[in-house]
Amino acid sequence: MTPPAKTSANPLFLRDEELRQGIEMLFYAYRDFIAEPDAILRRSGFGRAHHRVIYFVGRYPDTTVSALLDILQITKQSLSRVLGQLVRDGYIQQVKGPQDRRQRLLRLTEKGRDMELKLTEDQRARFARAYRDAGVEAVDGFRKVMLGLLTRDEDRDRFKRLDNGSR
Amino acid sequence: MTPPAKTSANPLFLRDEELRQGIEMLFYAYRDFIAEPDAILRRSGFGRAHHRVIYFVGRYPDTTVSALLDILQITKQSLSRVLGQLVRDGYIQQVKGPQDRRQRLLRLTEKGRDMELKLTEDQRARFARAYRDAGVEAVDGFRKVMLGLLTRDEDRDRFKRLDNGSR
DNA sequence: AATATACGTCAGCATTGTTGACATATATCG
DNA sequence: CGATATATGTCAACAATGCTGACGTATATT
């Protein structure tokens, strides 16, 4: 009838400690991950939301507004504000969908591409270093856990196995 | 003199693809990670910033304001706003530091503890599921990579190896 | 022809970050 | 002891980015 004790001999406590470490690692990693882009954006008069839009438009050229909304999980009004600025300032170009002419397909301009590379430079370097130091096996474990954290299968599907063609 | 081609035979492209998948996994994981707490907070009239304060005060009882600022990496004015609300609403209690009486040591009240558990319930369940599905080896890799992503050694030091006492 | 969908827009509000300035209590140093 | 540094708090203004609600237009589908 005694409550679970918080000692290292208690497996329930160990488990909670492990889970909380995960929570915190995610917090710290994300905090550090956005620090450098945020500083760059600040100097350019933009914010984190602009970065996300630039990133995913660069990643999925000719994507639709709906698809972008589904990725970002924000309202169209929130997206509209930053997207409008990026279009007006010449970072993103909109073209009517060839099949469905209601769509506005999004793509980066040269200027947008330059900005995208500048913004993700630190983030890519950060992953390059972490991956290199941890080793391929650890990277595989990292991916497994990260995918397990996601809510939707459709998001997991975005990460098809990397193939180096050596078959 | 040809530029690097974006084909699956090109190792540079493969590498960039791998790094970008890392970037995106972090984005999606974080997005999903905060969705449920955000919804709860919204109903309680709080925001994400309140969650972070409640979480870390719960994690490090009797921590100082400075230590909390160092974790959150925000200004004291930003912290002050949410911390003040949490103290006024009875979630957090402040006591003068016994050694250094300039300090205001922070700890959760019963009410604060309840809220903390409610807020992290989904996050802990999320990690429990991801860890279980991925396996212990993957978890180890996950931790290695996550720690590699951090900027500061002092943050890495927060994650001492888990010890199950079986030595 | 009616209805649904894709997208845009205006307006207002809340949260959360910032900078800058200033105040108080307490600790430390010379 | 007196000067200085540190820990914390506070007021004010501003910017970015979420949200809800309402309404409008163009195009596709039924």
Side-chain angles (χ1 to χ4, degrees):
Chain A
M1 279 296 120
T2 47
K6 283 186 180 177
T7 70
S8 61
N10 187 310
L12 278 183
F13 168 63
L14 262 189
R15 178 184 151 84
D16 190 66
E17 170 69 21
E18 187 177 27
L19 299 179
R20 287 185 181 276
Q21 288 198 6
I23 289 175
E24 287 151 45
M25 283 179 181
L26 194 50
F27 166 76
Y28 290 117
Y30 195 75
R31 182 199 67 180
D32 290 350
F33 185 66
I34 59 182
E36 174 64 15
D38 273 8
I40 297 172
L41 289 157
R42 193 149 242 283
R43 284 177 244 132
S44 307
F46 287 142
R48 200 175 297 171
H50 299 85
H51 185 191
R52 293 202 273 255
V53 172
I54 287 179
Y55 181 87
F56 283 108
V57 169
R59 183 65 157 144
Y60 303 113
D62 286 347
T63 193
T64 65
V65 173
S66 319
L68 198 48
L69 285 174
D70 183 64
I71 288 174
L72 301 176
Q73 300 266 287
I74 58 176
T75 60
K76 64 172 177 175
Q77 293 94 323
S78 294
L79 172 58
S80 178
R81 190 161 34 201
V82 295
L83 183 55
Q85 291 171 29
L86 290 170
V87 169
R88 272 196 300 283
D89 292 358
Y91 292 90
I92 287 181
Q93 182 188 353
Q94 289 174 311
V95 302
K96 282 199 177 185
Q99 279 90 35
D100 189 332
R101 289 165 47 80
R102 291 172 302 181
Q103 298 176 336
R104 298 287 175 273
L105 307 187
L106 308 172
R107 56 176 73 150
L108 293 183
T109 60
E110 257 316 288
K111 191 178 174 187
R113 173 72 48 196
D114 289 347
M115 176 61 91
E116 196 280 331
L117 288 173
K118 198 170 128 199
L119 285 174
T120 50
E121 190 178 358
D122 173 80
Q123 299 187 327
R124 281 179 285 124
R126 202 170 274 272
F127 266 101
R129 184 173 60 96
Y131 278 5
R132 173 172 49 75
D133 292 353
V136 283
E137 204 174 328
V139 170
D140 204 64
F142 170 78
R143 294 174 54 102
K144 269 207 191 97
V145 172
M146 289 299 273
L147 292 184
L149 289 173
L150 304 190
T151 300
R152 308 186 305 179
D153 276 337
E154 48 196 293
D155 287 321
R156 271 182 273 274
D157 290 345
R158 301 180 194 276
F159 302 96
K160 297 302 187 189
R161 216 59 250 66
L162 290 174
D163 189 350
N164 60 14
S166 55
R167 270 184 287 182
Chain B
M1 278 296 121
T2 48
K6 283 186 179 176
T7 70
S8 63
N10 187 311
L12 276 182
F13 168 64
L14 262 188
R15 179 185 151 85
D16 190 65
E17 170 68 21
E18 188 178 26
L19 299 180
R20 287 184 180 276
Q21 288 199 7
I23 289 175
E24 286 151 47
M25 283 180 182
L26 194 50
F27 166 76
Y28 289 117
Y30 195 77
R31 182 200 68 179
D32 291 350
F33 185 66
I34 59 182
E36 174 65 15
D38 274 7
I40 297 172
L41 289 157
R42 192 151 243 283
R43 283 176 246 133
S44 308
F46 288 142
R48 199 175 297 171
H50 299 86
H51 185 191
R52 292 203 274 257
V53 172
I54 286 178
Y55 181 87
F56 283 108
V57 169
R59 184 64 158 145
Y60 303 114
D62 286 347
T63 193
T64 65
V65 172
S66 318
L68 197 49
L69 285 173
D70 183 65
I71 288 174
L72 301 175
Q73 299 268 285
I74 59 177
T75 60
K76 64 172 178 174
Q77 293 94 326
S78 295
L79 172 59
S80 178
R81 192 162 34 201
V82 294
L83 183 55
Q85 290 171 31
L86 291 170
V87 169
R88 273 194 300 282
D89 292 358
Y91 292 89
I92 286 180
Q93 180 187 356
Q94 289 174 311
V95 303
K96 283 199 177 186
Q99 279 89 35
D100 189 333
R101 289 164 47 80
R102 291 171 302 181
Q103 297 176 337
R104 297 288 175 275
L105 306 188
L106 308 172
R107 55 176 74 149
L108 293 183
T109 61
E110 258 315 288
K111 190 178 174 186
R113 174 71 49 195
D114 289 348
M115 176 62 90
E116 196 280 332
L117 288 173
K118 197 170 128 200
L119 285 174
T120 51
E121 190 177 0
D122 174 80
Q123 298 187 327
R124 280 179 285 124
R126 202 170 274 272
F127 266 100
R129 183 174 60 97
Y131 278 5
R132 172 172 49 74
D133 293 353
V136 283
E137 204 175 325
V139 170
D140 204 64
F142 170 78
R143 292 174 55 101
K144 269 206 191 95
V145 172
M146 289 299 273
L147 292 184
L149 288 173
L150 305 189
T151 299
R152 309 186 303 181
D153 277 337
E154 48 196 293
D155 287 322
R156 269 183 274 275
D157 289 346
R158 300 179 194 276
F159 302 95
K160 296 304 188 189
R161 217 59 252 63
L162 290 174
D163 189 350
N164 61 13
S166 57
R167 273 182 289 183

